Amino acid sequence: MNVSALRLSAERRTALDAGFRETFGCLPERYFSAPGRTEIGGNHTDHQRGRVLAAAVNLDTVAAVRVNGTNRIRIQSEGYPMAQVDLSELQPLPEEINSTPALIRGVAARFAQLGCRVAGFDAYVRSTVLPGSGLSSSAAYEVLVGTIINHLFYDGKVSQPEIAMIGQYAENVFFGKPCGLMDQTASAVGGLVTIDFFDRNKPDIQSVDFDFSACGHALCIIDSRASHADLTDEYAAIPSELKAVCAYFGKEVLTEIDEKDFYAAIPALRETCGDRAVLRAVHFYADNARVPLQAAALRAGDFDTFLKLVGESGRSSYMYLQNVIPAGRTEHQEVAVALALCQRYLEGTGAFRVHGGGFAGTVQAFVPFDRLEAFRAGIDAALGEGACHVLSIRPQGGVEMEAGE
């Protein structure tokens, strides 16, 4: 994907240089950036090797970098302890599971496997992709580290989709999280893309050239202010229940099962897997089919059809996927409240849906410009100042930034 260069503002460079000097005692030599991402179509479809529509956004993780002449990577992220990795050990370490050094070590290890002679460097990192924002700060970090290594030590030989796969490798094998590939791909590639994960080794990535602002709508992400704590079982239940449906057919994922065969087997599936599993599979087939329709509508400039499909996806997630209200919760239903507020302040215009994993986190809305001020004021009044974030799609993925004087 050909994209324009990304320039580092004087203000950001000053802050990065100051942090780098304070941490490492000298000035950096180069600067890099990786964006957060937003899922626009395909809710919980990637883990079934389905399709998604996703985009890089204008919130990013940036790094000031300098090769340090040692065999050690040192990364100081603002507000966090320094992460250090000795490159003489490039295998998973049990004590590093679920830690930032595991991600760094995993990315470095995969580059080494590809023939790259990775060496030590220092980096000072600042991010506007806040953890828990639903915009995938972890994927942005993985892509950032991969982009740094690719440019410092490998002459940029690795493509952006391959950097995404390197990030996934680090997260799966070293960090210990069996994530899909959507987040890393959207961050690494940039722009608005469709991704078909059916071929696990070579996802089909297609660019969608579209500017939401040209259609008079803002892309908003609403923070429901819900906590992700104690929701592990809720998230795990979705792929687990869908796996039970697949097991009935002797398959691994739903994309291997014809939709007609699934519907024909519903009486037996209700007995063996339960109704919620069946409904979640109903959502998958419908939302997976919506993704190419959304992309086609955008390519044709048919924004009304796109918005209609966004609304259908949101209703399907709420009713069939059931990833809005955690099971048994009555007093705390933050995502449901955020969706209700979107409906209230959009008044039949635009579109809205649960965003990402669901249960906690964020809601996505496409808001007409003439309603944006009132929409944001209403959301912030109910959920707290700054709950509504207005974003734009960033054409660049993981890149080295141009730094002016």
Side-chain angles (χ1 to χ4, degrees):
M1 181 182 296
N2 294 320
V3 296
S4 59
L6 188 64
R7 193 168 185 83
L8 180 66
S9 70
E11 181 181 1
R12 297 187 87 185
R13 181 176 181 177
T14 298
L16 285 168
D17 286 355
F20 192 97
R21 186 195 292 273
E22 182 178 350
T23 305
F24 302 110
C26 56
L27 286 174
E29 297 173 322
R30 300 167 77 171
Y31 305 87
F32 297 86
S33 167
R37 72 94 186 99
T38 181
E39 166 210 290
I40 293 173
N43 194 222
H44 278 277
T45 51
D46 60 334
H47 53 71
Q48 296 301 305
R49 302 218 307 268
R51 308 180 188 102
V52 299
L53 179 63
V57 298
N58 60 319
L59 300 179
D60 67 346
T61 300
V62 294
V65 178
R66 186 184 186 103
V67 175
N68 61 25
T70 74
N71 201 37
R72 182 175 290 270
I73 295 174
R74 302 188 297 177
I75 301 181
Q76 177 65 64
S77 296
E78 187 177 60
Y80 293 89
M82 181 182 292
Q84 300 192 54
V85 168
D86 186 337
L87 294 170
S88 64
E89 293 185 281
L90 290 181
Q91 66 280 341
L93 301 180
E95 65 270 22
E96 281 187 351
I97 289 176
N98 293 322
S99 74
T100 299
L103 296 177
I104 301 168
R105 194 180 304 276
V107 171
R110 187 67 186 120
F111 268 96
Q113 292 165 17
L114 294 173
C116 174
R117 302 184 72 172
V118 184
F121 64 87
D122 295 332
Y124 185 81
V125 174
R126 304 183 82 214
S127 183
T128 52
V129 189
L130 300 176
S133 65
L135 300 173
S136 198
S137 58
S138 60
Y141 189 90
E142 295 156 19
V143 169
L144 180 70
V145 174
T147 302
I148 292 169
I149 292 175
N150 193 33
H151 284 266
L152 290 185
F153 308 115
Y154 213 38
D155 297 324
K157 294 178 184 177
V158 173
S159 70
Q160 289 169 301
E162 288 171 325
I163 285 178
M165 287 186 270
I166 290 170
Q168 183 197 32
Y169 169 82
E171 194 156 340
N172 290 175
V173 178
F174 283 71
F175 188 82
K177 180 181 178 182
C179 67
L181 190 57
M182 177 184 72
D183 297 347
Q184 293 88 347
T185 302
S187 177
V189 172
L192 177 63
V193 295
T194 60
I195 314 167
D196 188 332
F197 294 104
F198 185 72
D199 184 342
R200 69 166 80 237
N201 297 314
K202 193 176 181 181
D204 182 19
I205 305 168
Q206 301 291 331
S207 175
V208 180
D209 185 13
F210 189 83
D211 180 5
F212 288 109
S213 63
C215 284
H217 284 69
L219 168 60
C220 296
I221 296 295
I222 294 95
D223 184 354
S224 70
R225 304 293 168 89
S227 170
H228 287 82
D230 303 322
L231 291 173
T232 300
D233 290 345
E234 293 286 353
Y235 294 119
I238 295 176
S240 176
E241 290 177 11
L242 295 180
K243 186 176 182 179
V245 172
C246 295
Y248 175 87
F249 293 94
K251 302 294 184 180
E252 181 186 358
V253 289
L254 288 173
T255 44
E256 298 174 324
I257 303 165
D258 189 277
E259 186 177 5
K260 292 181 180 177
D261 294 337
F262 161 73
Y263 273 93
I266 279 181
L269 290 170
R270 293 182 68 190
E271 290 294 325
T272 58
C273 305
D275 284 353
R276 189 171 70 169
V278 169
L279 290 169
R280 284 174 162 169
V282 166
H283 163 82
F284 168 81
Y285 283 110
D287 225 35
N288 197 49
R290 268 186 283 270
V291 170
L293 298 178
Q294 287 178 297
L298 291 176
R299 289 185 175 117
D302 186 356
F303 198 62
D304 288 341
T305 294
F306 169 77
L307 291 176
K308 176 176 175 289
L309 292 165
V310 171
E312 289 177 3
S313 176
R315 288 187 291 274
S316 178
S317 293
Y318 207 155
M319 291 190 295
Y320 305 132
L321 182 61
Q322 299 178 48
N323 67 331
V324 171
I325 301 172
R329 296 279 181 94
T330 56
E331 187 174 348
H332 294 285
Q333 299 184 1
E334 292 93 343
V335 174
V337 170
L339 291 168
L341 291 168
C342 287
Q343 183 170 15
R344 161 71 176 173
Y345 291 111
L346 283 173
E347 296 182 336
T349 65
F352 61 95
R353 63 193 282 274
V354 62
H355 180 251
F359 298 115
T362 55
V363 166
Q364 180 185 75
F366 294 92
V367 184
F369 285 149
D370 61 0
R371 292 182 177 270
L372 181 57
E373 185 176 345
F375 178 87
R376 182 158 49 181
I379 295 292
D380 285 359
L383 300 182
E385 191 68 28
C388 180
H389 302 272
V390 181
L391 304 179
S392 62
I393 291 175
R394 165 171 145 165
Q396 303 91 353
V399 293
E400 180 166 6
M401 303 181 80
E402 291 185 355
E405 296 300 325

